[in-house]
Amino acid sequence: MPLPRYNFRSRSGSGESNSSTLAENNLEEGVVTVPGHGFLTSDSLADDNEVIEPVGIDTESAKDIDSQDDIQHAVTPPSGLRIQGCGTQVSDLSISQVLGRFRTLADINEQNSDDVCTVCSNICCGEEEAICCDKCNKWYHCQCVNLSSLEYSRLNDPQLTWFCSGCESQQSSPGSTQVTQFLLDLGREEIVFGSLGGLDAINAINSAYDTICNWRPNVFLTPSGAAGREFLRIIKNLLDEFNNEGPLKPYAIKLILIAGPLLLQKPSARSKSKDHVEALSRRIDIWKEGCLSDLLREGKTIQKKLAKSKSKPSPLKVFSNLMGKGQISAALKWVSSNPSSTLPVDDTVIDILHSKHPSAKPMDADCTFEGPIEVPDPILFNSIDGTLVRRAAKLTRGSAGPSGMDAESWGRILGSKHFRTIGTGLCDSLATFIRILATQDVSHDLIAPLLASRLIPLDKQPGIRPIGIGETLRRIAGKCLAMVLKSDVTAATAPLQTCGGIEGGVESSVHAVREMYQDPTTECVLLVDAANAFNCLNRQSALQNTGVLCPSLHQYLKNIYGEPSDLILRGTNIKLSSAEGTTQGCNLAMDFYGVGIMKLINILKEKVPLCRNSWFADDSAGAGKTEDVKSWWDTLQLYGPRVGYFPQPGKTCLIIKDPAKIDYFKSLFPGIHVTAEGSRYLGSFIGTKSATDNYVNTKVKEWINDIEDIGQAAASEPQFAYSAYYYGVMKKWTYLMRTTPDICNLLTPIERAIKSKLIPALTGITTVSETLRDVFSLSPKSGGLGLQNPAEISDTEYNCSKNINEDLIQAIVENSLDPFLPNIKKISKAKLQSKKTKTEQEQQKKFSILNTCGEELGRQIALASEKGASSWLTSLPLKSCGFILSKQEFHDSIKIRYNIKLDGLSNDCACGNRNSIDHSLICKLGGYTSLRHNHLRDTLSNLLDVVCKDVVREPPLLPIANEDLPRGTTLKNDARLDISCRGFYTPLDRTFLDVRVLHPNSPSNAKKPLAGMYKTHENEKKSKYLQRVVQVEKGNFCPFVMSTTGGLAPEASCFVQRLSSKLSQKLSQSYSNVLGFVRRKIRFELLKTTLMSVRGYRKSKTVFISELDLNLLNFYVN
């Protein structure tokens, strides 16, 4: 069929030609028309504000168009023809897809069945606003589908798609990606990046992205000066391009992802902050010029140096570096005796990875929820603002995705206050971007780089577990949505599916299944394991189910999962496609899976109502009579694969009550492991007491190895090892204690390992008495070290877990499909009661210790229990804050805390007295008492400099004239105080501080109760200076009294709170965070000077030659 001629008219129905008819010579010149776009040349495009409708195919020609191939032939230019101005090959493009929702006059004249509105059955004529579904190609009047004129006008953008309610959750047509890319290419001439434009800019951007995805992570943290702010401005402007439909929108996300690796590439392994600022400033200038090739060349050179460095880093050094950044989980992997490892990528590994990421499957209508998909009001997402983005960035952890920017890098960019207004603006722009993803259809091509993940083949020994690490920006966006929509997801999934963000979900599932097993009416329990579950979930079914059950989450998931995303194997140039299941690296994967599988859960409940079941993501359990469990299993095998859930009989376990019937059950459940003992379930164990004990004993052996690994690290870095144990290792058996009853005696080997191996390595105390061990088991705020005895607290943890989750456990056991709404008030009350129970038990233990430990140790425990005294111990050892102690300093700090003699401390002091810890802290020889005082004064002065004016150290007081001052007031005219400042309590008023650091075990203080001791020293300061400051200086006075053990006197404590409040307002930081930092900062500075006082070198007074009268000396011996 010859190529028909086209002209265009407005959809308003005026019938007037919008452009000239395409002449034959235009084809020779390489100019082609596409319906809806007019003549596509470099300077002739259809008006963006006008909706164009192609007309001009005569009726006879239209009658001959019977198939898609005929349409393709009718509207496609000859092979090789390109669109002038963009160089796009269009001979293989399905123009019928480009037509989309626009209709030819021939179609209208024919008035065939396709012209009829699906809703009202009336003709969709050219005089009316009508829309065509991009999936089923059925027409609808805009009024019939409640599509406003504004929305209709917006949908004229060819990058957007529209689906009818029946196709809402289904994937767009196979050619939609090709057409979208084709339409994106139409605007290539508008793209300008620096000095580059059109195809040159696009090719440079695409090349840069493909290159950096194979680079090793090697970025420095964004500096806080002008260069850093300019970098943030680049990111913000690109986000604004996307949010505001700017010319660079098609490539804005890709540019954001390449900006970090190109501009923040660390110049060398030993480069310093100054080098980073210089490199960033220079690279930003190159970036603005559009010279990506220059930046790539520099980056490739740096990456080659990294590749040549084949020396393996020291595990202990990496552990220390990560702990110094607060990355505990990552640090623990480097001191484990059984670390996880990745497999080298070869053909076998690639084949396995391909098999674990299946191609997309069609949706099974029988296994999806029917019903309309509601569109939530956009106001629901107004809570996603810059503040929430900053909070989500702070909570995000983990390695870098394909672009190489990890959570720490983005956390600084989005969370640091050093970037001032530009940082706040960037958070706001990112919040706008997230709201767009949550409320609007976004073309996959626009955000495809954001959805890509870095794929890692983890060695399961045996087998491979594919681990995907998504882009950090995507994880931050997902975390924002998860925080806002948590209640919606919970309502859609709980109680039978507990992975939807409900608090205590996994613990409740374990408790519920154990109750089902222990029910006398239960004959067997089936614990099901599914094959490659998260990668096999049918996406289209899951999206439809999400649209019906949790519409607020649907649009975001549709944008994320509507089309396949890339899985990149770094260093191989190999990309896999994630077309089914939840995308690797998505932190909404659990929520999506939980909602997506709900139809299967409902089918099982409807088909087999007497079989009770519980789900946590893909881990399912069915319990009841034999025939009911058998029917449940058969139904699961029948319907599970239809939604992408493939049960594995070989890894599924059937727990039976009657061992004598094991052969019968094996015949009834072929291929399934049948046991009368029990099986592991969600990190706990369901079964007999003996089998449970065996399981716990196996886990205990593993944890003892972990304790030994931490002990080895403690030999070199005790402070890092303590934090890793306290915040990491100790949590491993806490979960088992909360989910498994009656295991306290089984945890005794852990206690022995803690006492004999861990404590000596951490504290340097080789022999630990029973009394001292009990003290160390107390929490730090009670004067201990927090090294709990798991055998003592196991039963309490289990009971607390059951009490807090009582309602959810009961709902699972009852197997109700009714939505579960947590009783927040009841849960909060149960938590408070659990906390109270634990506190009472600890106080009872502490009281028992104090009654038996002796007066000296009892006083040390009391001193260590003061508020803030243990802040140095519970602080993460952050290098950036200066919270780092050496091996000796940490050991000495522990021993000083309990007044245990230090190794290597001489018996005699240079002053002539017997030496001890207490003497060292009061001996004035060597000037250490003055050093301790002056350093605390300077620390407070530096903090006051941030929020006050006219901060002066050692300010002189005004001389006294005729003032009537009370007895005891200092009258010296040259009297000075430690600090003065203006604006602390009231604007412009002057406040004076006098600092005192006392030692509570000095002879003058040792017999005093702590409260009385602090009061005495405060009153002494007030009697000397208060009235003189008030009457003569007309100012305020505060005695800042602090003990060497870290305790604060009442007025000093109030001063710290007031100072933290002012800093919080000044720095726009939360008060709790600032107060915690100020307390820790003061405590660490005092601790370090205290350690110097104990370990500092002292010598007797030296007689200098200038002090001698040599004439009086007899140099001669008679």
Side-chain angles (χ1 to χ4, degrees):
M1 178 183 297
L3 179 70
R5 296 178 180 179
Y6 277 83
N7 62 3
F8 299 85
R9 72 177 184 184
S10 171
R11 200 180 249 286
S12 63
S14 63
E16 297 180 1
S17 175
N18 188 52
S19 61
S20 303
T21 303
L22 178 64
E24 295 293 339
N25 60 350
N26 283 342
L27 292 176
E28 298 174 1
E29 296 172 2
V31 182
V32 67
T33 59
V34 176
H37 290 280
F39 290 104
L40 297 182
T41 66
S42 59
D43 55 359
S44 178
L45 291 172
D47 187 356
D48 291 338
N49 297 322
E50 189 173 17
V51 182
I52 305 300
E53 181 175 18
V55 298
I57 300 182
D58 59 1
T59 304
E60 295 301 322
S61 299
K63 289 180 179 179
D64 296 332
I65 301 177
D66 296 327
S67 65
Q68 177 70 24
D69 294 337
D70 292 335
I71 296 175
Q72 178 74 21
H73 180 70
V75 299
T76 303
S79 176
L81 183 64
R82 294 182 179 273
I83 296 177
Q84 179 175 324
C86 67
T88 303
Q89 185 82 30
V90 297
S91 58
D92 296 329
L93 182 65
S94 174
I95 303 297
S96 63
Q97 295 169 343
V98 179
L99 282 169
R101 53 187 71 86
F102 300 158
R103 307 179 58 243
T104 65
L105 183 61
D107 293 332
I108 295 172
N109 292 338
E110 276 298 291
Q111 297 183 0
N112 54 36
S113 60
D114 291 339
D115 303 332
V116 177
C117 173
T118 308
V119 177
C120 67
S121 300
N122 292 325
I123 300 297
C124 295
C125 66
E127 305 295 329
E128 301 173 279
E129 289 184 343
I131 191 99
C132 179
C133 175
D134 286 325
K135 175 64 178 176
C136 63
N137 292 326
K138 293 180 180 180
W139 284 86
Y140 299 83
H141 288 118
C142 290
Q143 290 183 345
C144 294
V145 291
N146 297 320
L147 191 67
S148 68
S149 297
L150 180 62
E151 293 172 320
Y152 177 73
S153 176
R154 180 173 152 268
L155 284 169
N156 290 325
D157 184 350
Q159 298 177 16
L160 301 179
T161 56
W162 182 84
F163 298 113
C164 64
S165 59
C167 302
E168 176 66 28
S169 66
Q170 300 185 25
Q171 190 176 10
S172 55
S173 58
S176 62
T177 302
Q178 183 185 17
V179 175
T180 302
Q181 188 61 48
F182 168 73
L183 294 177
L184 290 178
D185 291 342
L186 295 177
R188 281 182 170 179
E189 293 301 323
E190 300 179 18
I191 294 178
V192 176
F193 180 71
S195 60
L196 300 177
L199 278 176
D200 291 337
I202 293 171
N203 290 335
I205 295 170
N206 290 335
S207 175
Y209 178 76
D210 292 339
T211 301
I212 63 103
C213 283
N214 286 304
W215 283 0
R216 294 170 61 180
N218 182 48
V219 297
F220 54 80
L221 295 179
T222 308
S224 57
R229 292 194 293 272
E230 187 61 27
F231 174 76
L232 264 68
R233 189 171 287 107
I234 290 173
I235 304 299
K236 181 184 182 301
N237 290 342
L238 289 170
L239 272 175
D240 292 340
E241 282 281 311
F242 185 98
N243 298 338
N244 301 325
E245 306 288 336
L248 274 176
K249 177 177 180 177
Y251 299 94
I253 299 302
K254 190 171 285 188
L255 282 168
I256 290 172
L257 296 178
I258 67 176
L262 291 181
L263 301 181
L264 302 178
Q265 190 77 194
K266 195 173 183 181
S268 66
R270 297 184 178 181
S271 56
K272 305 298 181 183
S273 297
K274 181 179 179 181
D275 305 320
H276 299 163
V277 172
E278 180 182 348
L280 179 58
S281 301
R282 174 177 51 81
R283 292 168 183 169
I284 287 176
D285 293 337
I286 300 174
W287 174 277
K288 290 180 178 179
E289 294 173 2
C291 299
L292 294 182
S293 58
D294 294 344
L295 294 174
L296 276 175
R297 189 181 307 111
E298 180 181 353
K300 288 178 180 178
T301 302
I302 296 172
Q303 287 289 318
K304 286 181 180 178
K305 293 181 180 179
L306 294 176
K308 291 179 180 178
S309 177
K310 297 182 179 180
S311 59
K312 292 184 178 181
S314 166
L316 183 60
K317 185 176 181 180
V318 177
F319 169 77
S320 301
N321 289 336
L322 292 173
M323 286 300 301
K325 298 177 181 179
Q327 300 178 16
I328 298 173
S329 298
L332 283 173
K333 298 175 183 178
W334 287 88
V335 293
S336 174
S337 56
N338 296 308
S340 58
S341 59
T342 58
L343 293 170
V345 179
D346 54 22
D347 292 340
T348 302
V349 170
I350 292 173
D351 291 341
I352 295 175
L353 292 176
H354 271 294
S355 68
K356 287 184 174 290
H357 295 89
S359 57
K361 304 295 190 300
M363 180 180 71
D364 190 328
D366 294 334
C367 294
T368 53
F369 288 106
E370 297 180 357
I373 297 177
E374 298 179 3
V375 179
D377 195 302
I379 198 172
L380 175 65
F381 303 97
N382 281 1
S383 56
I384 301 178
D385 54 12
T387 302
L388 186 67
V389 167
R390 182 172 282 114
R391 178 185 168 198
K394 180 181 177 181
L395 295 174
T396 301
R397 298 285 186 271
S399 302
S403 67
M405 292 279 285
D406 61 8
E408 183 185 11
S409 299
W410 278 109
R412 174 168 174 78
I413 291 172
L414 298 172
S416 175
K417 295 292 185 178
H418 292 298
F419 301 119
R420 304 174 188 170
T421 56
I422 188 62
T424 302
L426 175 58
C427 290
D428 292 338
S429 295
L430 183 55
T432 302
F433 172 72
I434 297 171
R435 292 196 299 270
I436 290 174
L437 291 181
T439 58
Q440 301 177 18
D441 278 312
V442 179
S443 171
H444 176 79
D445 297 297
L446 299 179
I447 57 174
L450 185 69
L451 308 183
S453 299
R454 179 163 61 94
L455 187 60
I456 299 174
L458 197 67
D459 189 1
K460 288 177 60 177
Q461 299 177 354
I464 295 176
R465 175 180 286 117
I467 300 296
I469 303 176
E471 291 290 357
T472 305
L473 270 184
R474 176 187 175 183
R475 285 155 32 206
I476 292 172
K479 191 170 287 292
C480 288
L481 265 296
M483 289 189 286
V484 171
L485 303 178
K486 179 179 179 180
S487 59
D488 292 357
V489 177
T490 298
T493 56
L496 296 189
Q497 175 61 278
T498 59
C499 74
I502 187 168
E503 190 173 1
V506 64
E507 292 181 9
S508 299
S509 293
V510 176
H511 292 310
V513 173
R514 181 173 288 109
E515 287 192 18
M516 296 177 193
Y517 169 76
Q518 294 173 347
D519 189 335
T521 63
T522 298
E523 295 178 352
C524 58
V525 176
L526 188 66
L527 305 180
V528 181
D529 187 13
N532 198 25
F534 279 83
N535 288 326
C536 291
L537 177 69
N538 186 284
R539 276 193 191 173
Q540 300 312 312
S541 293
L543 284 172
Q544 172 67 16
N545 293 339
T546 304
V548 176
L549 295 180
C550 190
S552 56
L553 190 59
H554 175 256
Q555 185 60 64
Y556 179 82
L557 292 178
K558 180 182 172 185
N559 286 327
I560 298 299
Y561 290 102
E563 295 193 27
S565 56
D566 291 333
L567 301 173
I568 300 173
L569 285 164
R570 178 176 287 163
T572 64
N573 293 320
I574 295 175
K575 291 183 180 180
L576 278 69
S577 178
S578 175
E580 280 284 72
T582 57
T583 306
Q584 295 282 352
C586 174
N587 52 3
L588 282 175
M590 194 71 81
D591 293 344
F592 184 36
Y593 191 94
V595 180
I597 209 76
M598 282 305 298
K599 180 61 177 179
L600 175 61
I601 297 175
N602 282 25
I603 291 174
L604 291 169
K605 184 62 180 174
E606 293 169 4
K607 300 287 185 182
V608 195
L610 296 181
C611 181
R612 294 182 290 181
N613 61 105
S614 174
W615 293 69
F616 184 83
D618 62 311
D619 289 301
S620 60
K625 299 291 186 181
T626 304
E627 59 272 17
D628 295 328
V629 175
K630 171 61 176 174
S631 179
W632 184 81
W633 169 247
D634 293 339
T635 305
L636 183 62
Q637 287 185 301
L638 176 63
Y639 286 93
R642 296 165 69 175
V643 299
Y645 187 87
F646 298 90
Q648 294 187 98
K651 293 187 177 181
T652 297
C653 181
L654 181 69
I655 308 172
I656 63 175
K657 291 286 194 70
D658 188 355
K661 296 182 179 180
I662 191 167
D663 292 335
Y664 165 73
F665 280 102
K666 285 183 177 180
S667 63
L668 192 62
F669 293 87
I672 291 178
H673 174 63
V674 181
T675 177
E677 297 295 321
S679 176
R680 178 185 182 274
Y681 179 66
L682 293 178
S684 184
F685 195 89
I686 307 296
T688 63
K689 181 66 170 68
S690 60
T692 301
D693 292 350
N694 291 335
Y695 172 78
V696 174
N697 288 333
T698 302
K699 299 300 295 183
V700 165
K701 291 179 181 178
E702 295 178 7
W703 295 329
I704 290 175
N705 290 334
D706 293 336
I707 293 173
E708 292 174 349
D709 293 337
I710 286 294
Q712 292 178 2
S716 300
E717 296 288 354
Q719 185 190 17
F720 293 151
Y722 172 81
S723 294
Y725 175 83
Y726 187 77
Y727 291 106
V729 176
M730 197 167 61
K731 308 300 182 184
K732 293 185 177 182
W733 48 82
T734 301
Y735 172 78
L736 187 70
M737 291 190 297
R738 292 178 64 84
T739 56
T740 313
D742 304 325
I743 62 171
C744 55
N745 294 332
L746 303 176
L747 302 178
T748 304
I750 296 179
E751 165 58 19
R752 288 198 294 265
I754 294 172
K755 181 180 178 181
S756 63
K757 298 179 180 180
L758 182 64
I759 292 179
L762 288 176
T763 65
I765 303 172
T766 56
T767 303
V768 181
S769 65
E770 290 297 327
T771 300
L772 202 56
R773 174 65 188 105
D774 289 339
V775 173
F776 289 168
S777 68
L778 297 175
S779 64
K781 68 178 181 180
S782 294
L785 298 181
L787 304 177
Q788 296 175 328
N789 181 345
E792 291 181 352
I793 63 174
S794 176
D795 292 341
T796 301
E797 291 288 349
Y798 178 79
N799 293 329
C800 289
S801 175
K802 289 208 67 175
N803 292 336
I804 293 172
N805 301 305
E806 180 182 6
D807 288 350
L808 181 55
I809 295 169
Q810 188 63 29
I812 298 172
V813 172
E814 292 175 354
N815 246 226
S816 172
L817 284 174
D818 296 333
F820 177 80
L821 298 177
N823 188 334
I824 304 300
K825 182 178 270 188
K826 183 177 179 180
I827 293 175
S828 299
K829 186 176 180 180
K831 286 183 177 179
L832 288 174
Q833 182 59 43
S834 298
K835 184 177 180 180
K836 182 179 179 181
T837 300
K838 294 178 181 179
T839 302
E840 289 176 351
Q841 290 180 354
E842 183 168 71
Q843 290 304 314
Q844 291 175 1
K845 183 176 181 178
K846 181 179 178 181
F847 181 76
S848 175
I849 293 172
L850 293 175
N851 286 336
T852 58
C853 69
E855 183 178 349
E856 181 179 340
L857 181 57
R859 184 170 178 83
Q860 294 303 126
I861 294 174
L863 291 169
S865 302
E866 289 188 276
K867 193 173 186 64
S870 301
S871 58
W872 69 272
L873 186 63
T874 56
S875 297
L876 288 177
L878 300 177
K879 186 176 181 181
S880 59
C881 297
F883 297 165
I884 302 291
L885 298 175
S886 68
K887 176 181 177 179
Q888 186 182 66
E889 287 175 336
F890 187 79
H891 285 171
D892 287 352
S893 299
I894 296 292
K895 293 177 180 179
I896 291 174
R897 181 178 175 88
Y898 301 106
N899 206 12
I900 299 173
K901 185 178 180 180
L902 304 183
D903 296 335
L905 191 66
S906 61
N907 293 327
D908 297 308
C909 180
C911 70
N913 294 315
R914 293 289 293 175
N915 198 14
S916 65
I917 293 176
D918 291 335
H919 174 76
S920 298
L921 294 176
I922 61 175
C923 181
K924 295 184 178 181
L925 187 62
Y928 294 108
T929 54
S930 298
L931 174 67
R932 194 163 60 231
H933 167 276
N934 293 342
H935 195 69
L936 178 58
R937 177 203 62 197
D938 294 345
T939 300
L940 293 172
S941 175
N942 292 335
L943 292 171
L944 287 168
D945 272 328
V946 180
V947 293
C948 295
K949 300 294 185 182
D950 193 22
V951 179
V952 181
R953 298 176 188 176
E954 297 190 357
L957 298 181
L958 293 175
I960 298 174
N962 298 320
E963 291 84 359
D964 184 16
L965 298 176
R967 185 177 179 181
T969 302
T970 297
L971 303 178
K972 295 180 180 178
N973 287 334
D974 60 348
R976 294 173 179 266
L977 292 177
D978 287 317
I979 305 172
S980 71
C981 61
R982 291 189 183 274
F984 186 77
Y985 290 111
T986 56
L988 302 182
D989 281 351
R990 202 172 184 188
T991 299
F992 291 83
L993 266 78
D994 201 46
V995 175
R996 172 171 289 181
V997 181
L998 62 89
H999 181 53
N1001 290 336
S1002 66
S1004 60
N1005 296 321
K1007 301 299 181 180
K1008 295 178 182 178
L1010 298 184
M1013 176 186 69
Y1014 288 123
K1015 193 69 176 176
T1016 298
H1017 287 275
E1018 283 186 337
N1019 289 338
E1020 183 180 333
K1021 289 287 185 182
K1022 287 181 180 180
S1023 65
K1024 292 178 66 175
Y1025 298 109
L1026 177 60
Q1027 290 304 316
R1028 180 167 179 175
V1029 169
V1030 171
Q1031 294 186 36
V1032 180
E1033 303 288 343
K1034 307 301 182 185
N1036 305 305
F1037 175 73
C1038 176
F1040 194 93
V1041 179
M1042 191 173 184
S1043 71
T1044 55
T1045 55
L1048 287 171
E1051 294 205 28
S1053 181
C1054 293
F1055 182 88
V1056 168
Q1057 293 175 21
R1058 173 69 179 173
L1059 175 60
S1060 300
S1061 177
K1062 295 183 71 66
L1063 286 169
S1064 174
Q1065 297 174 11
K1066 177 74 173 182
L1067 303 176
S1068 300
Q1069 303 274 10
S1070 70
Y1071 170 74
S1072 59
N1073 289 340
V1074 174
L1075 178 61
F1077 171 79
V1078 171
R1079 282 177 173 166
R1080 285 173 170 81
K1081 185 66 176 177
I1082 293 174
R1083 183 67 185 97
F1084 263 98
E1085 297 303 322
L1086 180 62
L1087 177 63
K1088 290 180 179 180
T1089 55
T1090 300
L1091 294 171
M1092 290 178 63
S1093 299
V1094 176
R1095 289 288 184 181
Y1097 177 68
R1098 291 179 172 87
K1099 58 183 179 180
S1100 57
K1101 185 177 179 181
T1102 301
V1103 179
F1104 293 96
I1105 193 171
S1106 60
E1107 301 175 0
L1108 298 178
D1109 188 347
L1110 301 181
N1111 293 325
L1112 300 179
L1113 295 180
N1114 186 2
F1115 289 96
Y1116 302 98
V1117 179
N1118 293 328

